[in-house]
Amino acid sequence: MKKVLSAIQPTGDLHLGNYFGAVQNWVKLQDNYDCKYGVVDYHCMTMPYKASALRENTWKMVFQLLACGVKVENVFVQSFVPEHVELSWVLSCVCSYGELSRMTQFKDKTDQLKDKDKDALVSSGLFLYPVLQAADILIYHADYVPVGKDQEQHLELSRNIAQRFNTQFEKEYFVHPEPLFTEIPKLLSLADPNKKMSKSLGEKHYVNLFAEEDRIRKQVKSAVTDTGEGQIGMSPGVKNLFELLVACNEKTIHDQLMQDFHNGALKYSALKEAVGEALVQLISPFRDNLKALEENKKQIKEQVKDSSSNIRKVAQQTMKEVREITGLLSLK
Ligand code: AMP
């Protein structure tokens, strides 16, 4: 079986962008691949944060992934596998400063920090984050990485790092991982369809996957459709809504409304109502699952610790081999 690795930061609730860009695919892939899905808490330390919030959010993300259909044996918490950090150091030594400086996410996040607070700390962790991400992937010899389009550049870096390691140590050791994109590799913000849906933009820009039905319908209702800038053809906001219908598997209604659009008869209110309804239908079972899982909190946490320990064995084996290849000593 080919190997799949993907990960998500525990930054609070899952939003629709995470779900349609990544998690929906994670669930499907479990039938045909050897999958590992990490809740990457080390990655959440690059910006200022509160320890209690990180702890809470890590478990929250684990439970939400399980509620979406991710199997418990495929889930791990990154900090239960500290070998990720060890490999990250080794890989940082075959990754150039220049390459990391060119990462667009680093530039974006640095700008955000600067806007918020001129003296905010731009940590070295934020700079090195893509190397830790490469370690997350390479440590499990993953063939495929299901991610959203926003991660394409990082994945390319992982491939370059793998290549450089293999060349330097004259061994075809690390696999070159390939991305797997979903039907919506980039879901746009409902409030500003020129930007991707993201939490950092603020509440009105993203839809929380576990929000109450009313809130979901209301948010879709207020989605920006036309920006009034003399748009020719379909505006990004309308396209985003149509894509949501496809992602929810509502092909019939999608085709009907698309025909209306081409005939100049589309009512945005009808499109929004269809999207709201499709989302509510898709998501309601997740909310029910989450409630059921939360009734067994303790037991599920133990299961996730066990799956993390099992997954750790693979990472430990990789580190044993990496130590050997790179000339580091081993105790055993
Ligand atoms: P993050 O929240 O940055 O840890 O991202 C988790 C996963 O969700 C990654 O695979 C991202 O590519 C994906 N993702 C985040 N935002 C979006 C979006 N607006 N559209 C599509 N995928 C996204």
Side-chain angles (χ1 to χ4, degrees):
M1 257 195 193
K2 291 275 188 192
K3 297 190 183 86
V4 162
L5 181 285
S6 198
I8 190 158
Q9 290 194 48
T11 46
D13 293 296
L14 276 174
H15 60 70
L16 284 184
N18 299 138
Y19 183 73
F20 289 120
V23 179
Q24 189 182 43
N25 223 5
W26 293 13
V27 174
K28 286 188 199 148
L29 292 166
Q30 293 178 123
D31 295 333
N32 298 312
Y33 295 88
D34 167 9
C35 298
K36 294 181 183 66
Y37 300 125
V39 175
V40 287
D41 46 355
Y42 284 133
H43 282 286
C44 278
M45 301 172 80
T46 58
M47 310 267 253
Y49 72 97
K50 284 210 162 59
S52 58
L54 178 58
R55 234 179 328 260
E56 193 177 311
N57 285 339
T58 300
W59 282 120
K60 192 173 185 184
M61 184 56 76
V62 167
F63 278 80
Q64 293 196 355
L65 291 176
L66 296 177
C68 291
V70 173
K71 292 181 188 165
V72 69
E73 62 270 28
N74 293 341
V75 176
F76 68 97
V77 172
Q78 187 189 30
S79 63
F80 287 152
V81 189
E83 286 74 15
H84 283 239
V85 181
E86 190 183 357
L87 181 59
S88 172
W89 172 254
V90 174
L91 298 182
S92 73
C93 298
V94 293
C95 177
S96 77
Y97 176 86
E99 276 177 307
L100 290 179
S101 315
R102 287 191 292 276
M103 294 292 115
T104 50
Q105 263 198 12
F106 174 69
K107 289 190 214 154
D108 291 349
K109 287 202 174 172
T110 310
D111 289 346
Q112 264 174 36
L113 274 175
K114 282 186 191 146
D115 285 348
K116 262 194 216 150
D117 177 356
K118 290 259 175 285
D119 296 322
L121 180 74
V122 176
S123 70
S124 321
L126 187 61
F127 186 67
L128 284 167
Y129 160 105
V131 183
L132 179 57
Q133 200 178 46
D136 298 337
I137 298 165
L138 300 181
I139 206 162
Y140 300 111
H141 306 289
D143 300 289
Y144 298 114
V145 187
V147 280
K149 208 83 179 157
D150 55 332
Q151 293 299 328
E152 200 172 18
Q153 195 190 24
H154 286 171
L155 200 61
E156 196 179 332
L157 180 77
S158 299
R159 279 198 298 275
N160 290 343
I161 289 176
Q163 175 69 53
R164 199 147 328 113
F165 180 96
N166 293 351
T167 306
Q168 177 162 337
F169 297 102
E170 298 172 352
K171 192 174 167 70
E172 271 307 300
Y173 182 66
F174 283 124
V175 174
H176 296 197
E178 295 294 331
L180 280 182
F181 297 123
T182 50
E183 290 199 58
I184 304 193
K186 186 170 172 185
L187 188 64
L188 304 174
S189 152
L190 294 185
D192 180 357
N194 292 312
K195 301 195 172 119
K196 76 161 188 169
M197 182 177 283
S198 156
K199 278 224 188 119
S200 51
L201 291 174
E203 276 203 357
K204 58 179 183 173
H205 291 270
Y206 69 91
V207 181
N208 174 348
L209 197 61
F210 292 87
E212 292 300 324
E213 291 184 10
D214 280 357
R215 167 126 183 103
I216 293 177
R217 287 186 210 273
K218 221 167 154 183
Q219 272 190 295
V220 175
K221 223 174 181 174
S222 60
V224 171
T225 43
D226 282 343
T227 45
E229 290 164 0
Q231 183 79 41
I232 299 168
M234 192 181 278
S235 70
V238 173
K239 190 160 175 268
N240 204 34
L241 291 173
F242 271 113
E243 289 200 336
L244 278 171
L245 280 180
V246 175
C248 291
N249 229 343
E250 295 288 352
K251 192 165 163 20
T252 315
I253 188 134
H254 169 275
D255 292 354
Q256 271 168 16
L257 292 169
M258 190 59 94
Q259 204 171 2
D260 289 349
F261 175 81
H262 289 304
N263 296 334
L266 175 70
K267 285 202 181 87
Y268 290 149
S269 56
L271 175 61
K272 288 175 175 181
E273 211 171 291
V275 171
E277 185 55 31
L279 287 175
V280 164
Q281 291 303 325
L282 181 92
I283 286 166
S284 298
F286 300 163
R287 253 200 329 267
D288 297 342
N289 292 345
L290 188 62
K291 271 190 202 127
L293 288 162
E294 279 173 345
E295 280 164 21
N296 283 317
K297 237 181 192 156
K298 218 173 146 198
Q299 193 191 345
I300 287 162
K301 283 185 178 179
E302 286 310 311
Q303 287 175 357
V304 172
K305 286 181 186 170
D306 287 347
S307 59
S308 301
S309 297
N310 281 335
I311 288 172
R312 187 177 181 195
K313 287 179 194 148
V314 180
Q316 283 171 322
Q317 178 60 31
T318 302
M319 271 324 295
K320 202 173 154 210
E321 290 160 7
V322 166
R323 283 175 159 271
E324 178 94 23
I325 293 170
T326 56
L328 292 167
L329 303 180
S330 285
L331 271 172
K332 277 186 231 161

